[in-house]
Amino acid sequence: MTLRDYQQQSVDAAIAHFKQSQQSAVLVLPTGAGKSIVIAELARIANGNVLVLTHVKELVAQNAEKVGLLTQEANIYSAGLNQKKANGKTVVASIQSAARALTKFTQPFSLVIIDECHRVSNESTSQYQQLLIHLKTRNPNLKLLGLTATPYRLGLGWIYRLHYHGKVGNTDTPVFDKCIFELPMRPLISKGYLTKPIIFDGLSAQYDFSELNAYDSGEYPQMEIDSLLNHQGRATTAIIKQIKQLAEVRKGVLIFAATVRHANEIMTLLDNDAALITAQTPHNERDDIIKRFKSQQLKFIVNVAVLTTGFDAPHVDLIAILRPTASISLFQQMIGRGLRLAQDKTDCLIIDYAANGYDLFYPEVGQAKPNSKSVPVQVHCPVCQFANIFWGIVDDDGDIVEHYGRRCQGLINNNQQCDFRFRSKSCPDCGAENDIAARICNTCQSTLIDPDKRLKQVLNAQHHHLFKCAQMLLLNQDDKLLVQYLDIEGNDFKQTFNFSTPAQRKAFYAVFVLSHTRTPGLRHPQYNKIADVLADQSRFRKPDLLLLKKNKHRWDLVDSFFNYQGKYKIDMS
Ligand SMILES: [Zn+2]
Ligand SMILES: [Zn+2]
């Protein structure tokens, strides 16, 4: 048995890394890339004993089998598989069983390999950490390697601190130190290691989830989903009718539903060759459904957020996505369920009925999608030139009209994160630039004033007015640029800019362009004429609030607030 080129490359990357480092490492390989072979090869060539951990018995069995193909048989420690051997050159264990029997793991291991390692928590009380702490008492130089297809978790972010492409990952709570190898999906498909996906948007009917806003965790509120679906009742009937038609020439169909209620509704529209799996489905019932699906007694499985990883039925050739997701990784995981090779399978049809609008090859941004129009955009850092991937909005030509990046993700000298910030707020005490959400200055530790607190203080003083800006207009008035801010009642506040001299044009840049740009860090053209600005006005964003101060007979602008989320927020409803 020989390794594929990228499998060998990932093995080589792990060897090279551990030769010169004790830091924990991650290999990122897409679903279907053959992670078990990589694990088996590492177990074969490692000096010392190797422990392979995973969270489901199916993967324990699969990994042990592959080890047996490449080198001497592995011992298995898994209650679910009725085998409990904790010692040997290679031990493959389920984390639940191993964590309950720490004292059985007496021999020193030199390397621990964790499969599906995005599930590892860095809570010291978690099963993985308890076991690792125990193993380090046997060998303080224990090396740790994780493998996953999705090195990212909604709400937690990247699982590693650094990426070998020179990019910062998670600086707050990383579980692993470094991603040392990452294989994208595209070459696997072009080389024929994975089935070709054919992706369509909902063909005849589609849900409209664009009103949903994700929590910071990236999850959507279930009640809001149900309520939106209630108003789109006939869509489900049309969608399921179409899926059934398309399924006539397909062998296995996976349907991803948005909520349990939604899934139950879908089930009433399918026939008796369909089954439902939710998080509440008992294990033995679930095993039975999957068995009947794999043997093709069942044609459809409807599921709610359970079959994204660890489920392997190669014959799946139709995937219907009826749920919204704020995560590119999650979307790609769902698609990954249909890309395994199988006999007589030439492609896998994938239909996105929820208008998620992701591309299979999009890079993960590392944050939940901020709104339904966002796509990943590439923004070069003006300081270190690193090509950042942020959420943003593009126009019909694909040009970036807005991006939501805050700090450059590039690594510079000695793996320090580049400190250029695309959006920031400056500390009033020391002038240092801080993240727009920071509460404490990163340089002088002084408390950054909460905008609401400041507004409250100022508004209690006289002569101040808070202008809630609903609209911003740019106009040419007598050869001056007029910026007119309007509130919902039609009151306005105006700023004018002269454009006659270079100094005036520079002032416009400093006062207006820098704060109103939707694309910080990307150059604006030089605006020599007012018409140039008007032609480019879609690149400017309106502030949410203007703080104005009365100065004799006119109002002066004291401060503008963009992306304001506090209690003085404008009520548009
Ligand atoms: Zn940079
Ligand atoms: Zn400061």
Side-chain angles (χ1 to χ4, degrees), residues 145-165:
L145 178 71
L147 283 88
T148 181
T150 52
Y152 164 78
R153 269 167 80 176
L154 276 175
L156 296 174
W158 301 108
I159 61 171
Y160 49 75
R161 190 164 50 81
L162 305 174
H163 190 287
Y164 72 117
H165 288 161

Side-chain angles (χ1 to χ4, degrees), residues 426-432 434 441-446 448:
S426 44
C427 169
D429 291 337
C430 74
N434 287 277
C441 173
N442 60 28
T443 304
C444 74
Q445 315 301 322
S446 74
L448 298 171

Side-chain angles (χ1 to χ4, degrees), residues 3 90 149 154 323:
L3 274 66
T90 307
L154 276 175
R323 56 165 291 189

Side-chain angles (χ1 to χ4, degrees), residues 216-237:
D216 283 346
S217 69
E219 306 284 333
Y220 290 107
Q222 297 283 299
M223 275 173 50
E224 281 182 36
I225 296 180
D226 274 331
S227 135
L228 272 179
L229 286 170
N230 264 345
H231 296 104
Q232 307 180 35
R234 286 180 308 275
T236 304
T237 312

Side-chain angles (χ1 to χ4, degrees), residues 152 158 165 167 182 184 186 327-329 332 358-367 375-378 387-391:
Y152 164 78
W158 301 108
H165 288 161
K167 180 178 73 166
E182 177 162 11
R186 197 190 295 267
S327 157
I328 293 173
S329 296
Q332 292 173 347
Y358 297 127
D359 187 290
L360 180 57
F361 306 114
Y362 273 174
E364 177 58 61
V365 177
Q367 265 165 347
V375 295
V377 296
Q378 182 173 303
N388 289 280
I389 302 291
F390 295 132
W391 286 112

